[in-house]
Amino acid sequence: MNRRSEVTRAVPTYDAARRATGIPLRPLMSWASRFRLLQYTKASLWIVPLLGLLLGVLLAEWAVSVDTSGLPAGWRYSASTATGVLTAIVGAMIALLGFVVTIGVLVVQQATGTLSPRYMRLWYRDRLQKAVLATFTGTFSFSFALLRTIEADSVPDIGVTLAGAAVSVSLLLLLVYLNRFTHNLRPVAIAELVGRMGETVLARGEAAVLGAAPRGGDPVPAADGGPVACVRSERGGVIQACHAGRLTALAAHHDCVLVLTRLVGDYVPPGAVVVEVHGGSSAPDPRRVTGLIAFGSERTIEQDPAFALRVLVDIAIRALSPAVNDPTTAVQVLNHIEAFLHTVGRTGLRDRYVLGDPHGTPRLVVQGRDWEDYLQLAVTEIREYGTSSVQVCRRLGALLEGLLHAVPAVSRPAVDTELSLLREAVDRAYTDPARRTLARTTDPQGIGARHRPG
């Protein structure tokens, strides 16, 4: 498919049943509501542990029902021994749960103090943490349920043995969790993780509409005398995601063009226009349209790779604050920002994408971030807050000069502009010629590895 000359044909199977019957299908829950529910589930720290709690009770019932008459003598326990073992396990699981919760509180304090509060949005999704909590709660409920069944002449031997094995698994997961907590909570480790997430979202999400440009010479679909209808947000909030395929299908059904007026990640006040309807015999139901656009209280990373870059910049400028004063951390974060910018520079993003139906007719116009938007987000605040650090100035200069040789020619003017702004900022901050020359010398390590021509 020619990226520059074709309209993306992106009508999914969403309306297959509707087209076959001619009856619009209205789901019990809109796509936006399901998206918000999924976001809540991903960020929740109690759903998976609750499932572990229930699973522990069910496994205990199974362990009691298993016939233990054929077990070897080493697997048999007296009632007093089984009661003591299970009681100790129950107490230990409660203590370990409190310990993990304490670690979680420390993470929140560190993230909000030295990293970025936006990172907490991603940290809550950590699967290992949820697995540890679920193992602890499952072992607790399993052992407690077994305690209720112990009698003088009836001991769930298999259950007691499994409880001991569950404790071993819990301790192993706790050690893995502690290792991850101590090593992966450093700013540079978080920057690497967030950078990879942003690159993945960029490749998976926005690459799907890179070929959705209108044919050369075609007029902009929105420029046909103005919209015939406007869809407004009801409660407002940050646009977290939209279902472009279903919006395209909806526009095709009403023979119109839908134009999203805001970017994913933008805050939309209540009552503001979020979609314009152009052309068509009838305008779609506004609730059907807003049901395909998810609003929330803050940004998410699912369709917003710039959110990852926002977190990286936050970590860097927090390190440059007078309270922290750690320019080396900012330089390390700039390494991952540079890698992210190289990925963006090779992608060929644009500020507008047009999606079409199977006949190539434009149906949906989506706003996008282009190269200049990402570049300004990546370097502007770091330049403003880091000019007083020679190390940051040299590393930022090396980043920009590296981009000049890596990005296509059409993207280089924006890089030249940022280089000029950096030099002007350095000239204002350093009046001494020797220090000014030192700050303007590019260095990929900040200080210690200046560029050597040839």
Side-chain angles (χ1 to χ4, degrees):
M1 181 175 62
N2 190 334
R3 291 184 174 181
R4 299 295 182 179
S5 62
E6 293 188 9
V7 176
T8 296
R9 300 173 181 182
V11 177
T13 59
Y14 163 68
D15 278 334
R18 178 189 52 75
R19 290 196 301 269
T21 61
I23 302 175
L25 297 179
R26 293 182 179 274
L28 297 177
M29 181 181 293
S30 67
W31 175 86
S33 298
R34 292 196 299 272
F35 180 87
R36 287 190 292 267
L37 180 60
L38 180 61
Q39 292 298 305
Y40 177 81
T41 303
K42 288 181 178 180
S44 173
L45 294 178
W46 67 269
I47 294 180
V48 176
L50 177 62
L51 294 177
L53 193 73
L54 298 176
L55 183 60
V57 175
L58 296 177
L59 288 177
E61 295 295 332
W62 170 82
V64 171
S65 65
V66 174
D67 183 15
T68 61
S69 59
L71 289 177
W75 285 41
R76 294 182 177 277
Y77 305 88
S78 65
S80 60
T81 300
T83 300
V85 169
L86 294 178
T87 302
I89 291 176
V90 169
M93 290 302 104
I94 294 177
L96 289 177
L97 276 172
F99 178 67
V100 174
V101 170
T102 302
I103 291 179
V105 173
L106 293 176
V107 170
V108 173
Q109 291 178 345
Q110 179 173 352
T112 55
T114 60
L115 299 174
S116 168
R118 264 66 60 186
Y119 172 68
M120 299 307 301
R121 182 83 181 183
L122 306 177
W123 179 81
Y124 289 138
R125 303 183 180 191
D126 185 68
R127 296 179 180 177
L128 178 60
Q129 178 175 227
K130 296 177 182 180
V132 170
L133 292 173
T135 304
F136 290 173
T137 56
T139 303
F140 164 79
S141 63
F142 180 77
S143 303
F144 188 80
L146 289 178
L147 273 173
R148 298 170 52 248
T149 65
I150 295 179
E151 298 177 359
D153 58 347
S154 177
V155 177
D157 297 318
I158 289 183
V160 176
T161 302
L162 290 178
V167 171
S168 301
V169 173
S170 300
L171 292 177
L172 179 61
L173 285 177
L174 178 62
L175 292 176
V176 174
Y177 178 69
L178 288 176
N179 179 75
R180 185 172 180 175
F181 170 77
T182 55
H183 289 86
N184 290 4
L185 204 59
R186 296 172 296 118
V188 63
I190 292 176
E192 181 182 7
L193 173 64
V194 174
R196 287 201 308 265
M197 293 177 65
E199 293 175 9
T200 301
V201 172
L202 184 68
R204 184 182 65 240
E206 295 208 18
V209 295
L210 283 179
R215 290 182 291 269
D218 282 0
V220 177
D224 56 357
V228 297
C230 294
V231 178
R232 300 179 181 274
S233 62
E234 296 179 356
R235 296 181 301 173
V238 175
I239 298 179
Q240 296 180 334
C242 66
H243 199 304
R246 293 187 181 182
L247 286 170
T248 302
L250 186 63
H253 175 65
H254 290 273
D255 191 25
C256 63
V257 178
L258 300 179
V259 180
L260 271 67
T261 62
R262 304 297 183 103
L263 286 166
V264 173
D266 283 355
Y267 176 78
V268 180
V273 176
V274 66
V275 175
E276 295 178 349
V277 182
H278 295 261
S281 55
S282 62
D285 184 356
R287 285 180 292 183
R288 290 284 301 275
V289 177
T290 55
L292 298 174
I293 303 174
F295 293 88
S297 58
E298 57 182 327
R299 296 167 68 176
T300 63
I301 199 171
E302 271 71 15
Q303 295 185 14
D304 189 5
F307 179 66
L309 190 56
R310 175 71 268 169
V311 174
L312 292 176
V313 173
D314 282 350
I315 296 174
I317 61 178
R318 185 66 64 91
L320 294 173
S321 66
V324 179
N325 194 23
D326 186 8
T328 302
T329 294
V331 167
Q332 291 177 321
V333 175
L334 278 171
N335 296 338
H336 300 285
I337 291 177
E338 182 175 16
F340 188 88
L341 288 177
H342 277 259
T343 301
V344 173
R346 293 191 299 266
T347 304
L349 301 176
R350 298 187 297 277
D351 59 358
R352 193 180 69 101
Y353 304 97
V354 180
L355 278 70
D357 58 19
H359 305 289
T361 305
R363 294 300 183 187
L364 178 66
V365 179
V366 182
Q367 308 300 323
R369 292 181 178 83
D370 58 14
W371 163 249
E372 187 174 353
D373 292 332
Y374 279 99
L375 183 62
Q376 288 182 351
L377 173 60
V379 303
T380 300
E381 291 174 287
I382 297 178
R383 181 185 66 243
E384 294 299 320
Y385 292 110
T387 305
S388 59
S389 170
V390 173
Q391 183 178 182
V392 173
C393 293
R394 290 161 65 96
R395 179 64 185 94
L396 197 55
L399 182 152
L400 294 172
E401 288 194 357
L403 289 174
L404 279 178
H405 299 88
V407 300
V410 68
S411 301
R412 292 172 189 167
V415 183
D416 285 328
T417 300
E418 295 299 331
L419 268 173
S420 299
L421 291 173
L422 176 62
R423 294 183 182 119
E424 292 173 2
V426 169
D427 290 344
R428 289 193 301 269
Y430 299 93
T431 57
D432 180 76
R435 295 188 65 210
R436 181 186 304 168
T437 301
L438 182 66
R440 294 186 64 167
T441 303
T442 60
D443 190 335
Q445 293 185 17
I447 293 179
R450 71 182 186 278
H451 176 66
R452 294 173 173 82

